[in-house]
Amino acid sequence: MTYDPDNIFAKILRGEIPCDKVYEDDHVLAFNDINPQTPKHILVIPKGAYVSFDDFSEQGSEAEIAAFMRAAGKIARDAGMIESGYRILANTGRDAHQDVPHFHLHIFAGKNLGRMIKPPEK
Ligand code: AMP
């Protein structure tokens, strides 16, 4: 899948639309989800043009991948999520309902998140 430079997160990275930023460094941007599913819901994205986790894990540089993992942990710590816990999720592709084709981690916290994944109602 080729990267679509008009996806919404690319527009956020270019400053064309605003975001509620919580973290930024040379390789990473994080912001609050516009439609939070939990009391705390942060999105973490690489600044590079990667479609998905699969794309990032295969094509990302060592520096980008290291920066991304370090940042994700720091963002959760700085958001006060350590004591009560949090969940990280990366929807990847059709069956996972990935809507935005720029790799992103969801970090969910702020309530009991239940056990793992609930399948859709039939
Ligand atoms: P996914 O289904 O994993 O691709 O998740 C995309 C996420 O992006 C959803 O949780 C949306 O609420 C979120 N989202 C979409 N547009 C924006 C935006 N402009 N600012 C912040 N979050 C957004």
Side-chain angles (χ1 to χ4, degrees):
M1 187 180 181
T2 55
Y3 185 79
D4 172 10
D6 288 329
N7 78 76
I8 194 120
F9 294 169
K11 291 179 180 175
I12 287 175
L13 283 166
R14 290 195 297 266
E16 293 167 10
I17 61 169
C19 72
D20 183 11
K21 183 164 78 179
V22 299
Y23 176 88
E24 183 169 17
D25 67 26
D26 288 349
H27 293 298
V28 181
L29 179 69
F31 47 90
N32 287 310
D33 196 291
I34 204 166
N35 182 24
Q37 303 299 306
T38 49
K40 295 179 183 177
H41 182 175
I42 296 173
L43 299 173
V44 187
I45 69 173
K47 288 187 172 177
Y50 301 102
V51 174
S52 65
F53 173 77
D54 178 64
D55 188 19
F56 186 62
S57 67
E58 188 174 49
Q59 302 293 338
S61 69
E62 307 298 309
E64 287 174 305
I65 291 171
F68 191 81
M69 295 303 287
R70 294 278 188 205
K74 176 174 167 46
I75 289 159
R77 279 192 298 281
D78 290 353
M81 296 175 175
I82 298 302
E83 191 177 335
S84 49
Y86 60 93
R87 177 168 293 152
I88 286 179
L89 182 138
N91 291 319
T92 306
R94 186 193 57 218
D95 280 358
H97 294 251
Q98 180 181 356
D99 289 332
V100 179
H102 181 113
F103 171 48
H104 50 283
L105 287 186
H106 297 258
I107 307 180
F108 301 105
K111 69 172 196 177
N112 185 326
L113 299 169
R115 286 189 181 275
M116 295 297 286
I117 293 165
K118 191 174 165 203
E121 305 291 334
K122 288 248 166 131

